[in-house]
Amino acid sequence: MTITRAMTTTRLKAAPTLLAIDLNRQYLMTPHGIQKLIVLAFSVLSAVSFSLFAEPKPILKYNLNGSSTWVPYYIKNGGDKPGILREFIPRMLDKAGIEGQVLEFPPRRTNQALQRRQLDFDIVSPSWFENDQISDDFVASIPFLPIKEYVVTLAGKSSAWAQTHQLHGKRIGTVMGYIYPNTHTFTRVDFGSERELVRALDKKRVDAAIIGDLPALYWAKQFDISIALASIHSDGELVIRLHKSQQALLPQINQSLQYFIESGEIDAIVAQYADYHPAQSPHETIKP
């Protein structure tokens, strides 16, 4: 009796389910039901087609580091403060719908890698080139960040270097692999980084060096060396130097850059590095 009652109960429970299935089948055979089935099938096929045939994000290979001591634009082992460009460029590319692949090269090899198409872009200022002209093999984005380079000396020595023409024929400290305008007018004395240039000034291995203002001030403070920003050597803005083979992506890049400029987001990133901006005026002696 127990078994019979249990089987009877199961049948009673199953009956509404079977009835519901039968009713659903009947509904699906109506014109309205068939229309819903068509819409559902189209939605599923569209989703599958999109996942199978949607174009992947374009990938651009790039290098940011310049030298390994290009503070505050690139900060090696900086933890949550990796540097202005190391924070900004990935966010800009993401906004542009581009996937970035970072490849790190020293400055000299960066230029070679760009020519050999091992890299698609880097960050430069046209003011670093003769007549502000980047090579015909590249296209430049809109400018997005001001940058200056100075002729830097030890404190008390700046008057001898207050004019650009005073570099003519002199030995001037430079970073190996870096590009400078008017290099034919002076003799380059290459060092590995901005940090080494500041130390070379202190050790009197050179009397003057060309260094970005922020890196110079930062490393002078780190080493407790009094320096002077004697004269401006270049004054411009950073741009993305993109190989011409990828110039179809330039409108996306420019649109993303424009967004970060107009929204103030790039200024917010720069503001996070205020500790790396010693407040000094040009031509003043810097006493860390």
Side-chain angles (χ1 to χ4, degrees):
M1 291 296 291
T2 304
I3 296 172
T4 304
R5 186 178 292 119
M7 291 176 63
T8 302
T9 304
T10 302
R11 289 195 187 100
L12 289 172
K13 288 180 178 179
T17 304
L18 293 171
L19 179 61
I21 293 172
D22 186 57
L23 289 173
N24 284 336
R25 285 175 179 167
Q26 291 180 31
Y27 168 74
L28 292 174
M29 295 306 295
T30 65
H32 191 259
I34 292 171
Q35 185 179 13
K36 280 200 168 184
L37 274 176
I38 292 172
V39 171
L40 178 63
F42 183 77
S43 299
V44 171
L45 286 172
S46 296
V48 171
S49 298
F50 181 80
S51 62
L52 289 176
F53 301 108
E55 291 187 10
K57 283 184 177 182
I59 300 174
L60 292 181
K61 302 182 294 294
Y62 66 96
N63 176 61
L64 294 178
N65 55 304
S67 84
S68 60
T69 65
W70 193 32
V71 178
Y73 307 100
Y74 176 96
I75 303 174
K76 189 174 183 178
N77 302 321
D80 61 348
K81 290 286 186 69
I84 293 171
L85 294 178
R86 291 179 78 187
E87 282 199 47
F88 172 64
I89 295 300
R91 289 169 59 178
M92 183 280 298
L93 289 175
D94 184 64
K95 182 74 175 175
I98 298 169
E99 185 175 337
Q101 182 180 352
V102 182
L103 301 176
E104 294 190 355
F105 294 95
R108 178 175 289 180
R109 288 192 58 202
T110 294
N111 292 316
Q112 295 172 352
L114 283 162
Q115 295 293 341
R116 295 171 181 171
R117 292 293 321 285
Q118 295 171 307
L119 290 172
D120 296 306
F121 77 85
D122 68 346
I123 311 298
V124 299
S125 171
S127 65
W128 299 343
F129 297 82
E130 294 292 339
N131 302 314
D132 292 352
Q133 295 297 313
I134 295 176
S135 165
D136 291 340
D137 293 329
F138 302 92
V139 291
S141 73
I142 62 172
F144 62 89
L145 192 65
I147 192 164
K148 292 181 181 180
E149 286 185 325
Y150 281 82
V151 177
V152 181
T153 68
L154 291 177
K157 305 288 185 180
S158 61
S159 60
W161 305 93
Q163 303 296 326
T164 305
H165 67 81
Q166 292 173 302
L167 275 66
H168 289 195
K170 305 291 180 56
R171 298 173 69 255
I172 305 297
T174 51
V175 176
M176 184 181 300
Y178 275 21
I179 299 167
Y180 302 90
N182 304 319
T183 51
H184 62 281
T185 64
F186 59 85
T187 301
R188 291 182 62 142
V189 182
D190 281 344
F191 294 85
S193 66
E194 289 84 354
R195 177 179 59 188
E196 291 183 28
L197 279 179
V198 172
R199 299 191 73 172
L201 286 171
D202 186 47
K203 296 178 182 298
K204 298 179 175 55
R205 295 178 64 184
V206 289
D207 293 325
I210 300 171
I211 318 175
D213 53 349
L214 301 184
L217 296 172
Y218 175 80
W219 291 113
K221 181 178 180 181
Q222 297 302 305
F223 296 128
D224 194 27
I225 299 170
S226 295
I227 64 171
L229 305 181
S231 59
I232 294 177
H233 188 256
S234 66
D235 185 358
E237 293 183 280
L238 293 178
V239 301
I240 288 174
R241 177 172 61 160
L242 181 68
H243 196 276
K244 271 193 172 178
S245 62
Q246 300 286 3
Q247 65 181 332
L249 297 174
L250 189 60
Q252 292 170 237
I253 291 172
N254 282 339
Q255 186 175 8
S256 181
L257 288 171
Q258 195 68 44
Y259 166 80
F260 279 92
I261 294 167
E262 292 179 355
S263 67
E265 289 193 36
I266 188 168
D267 292 331
I269 293 173
V270 172
Q272 295 175 16
Y273 292 84
D275 292 345
Y276 295 90
H277 298 194
Q280 299 290 344
S281 300
H283 310 292
E284 287 186 359
T285 297
I286 311 303
K287 296 182 178 178

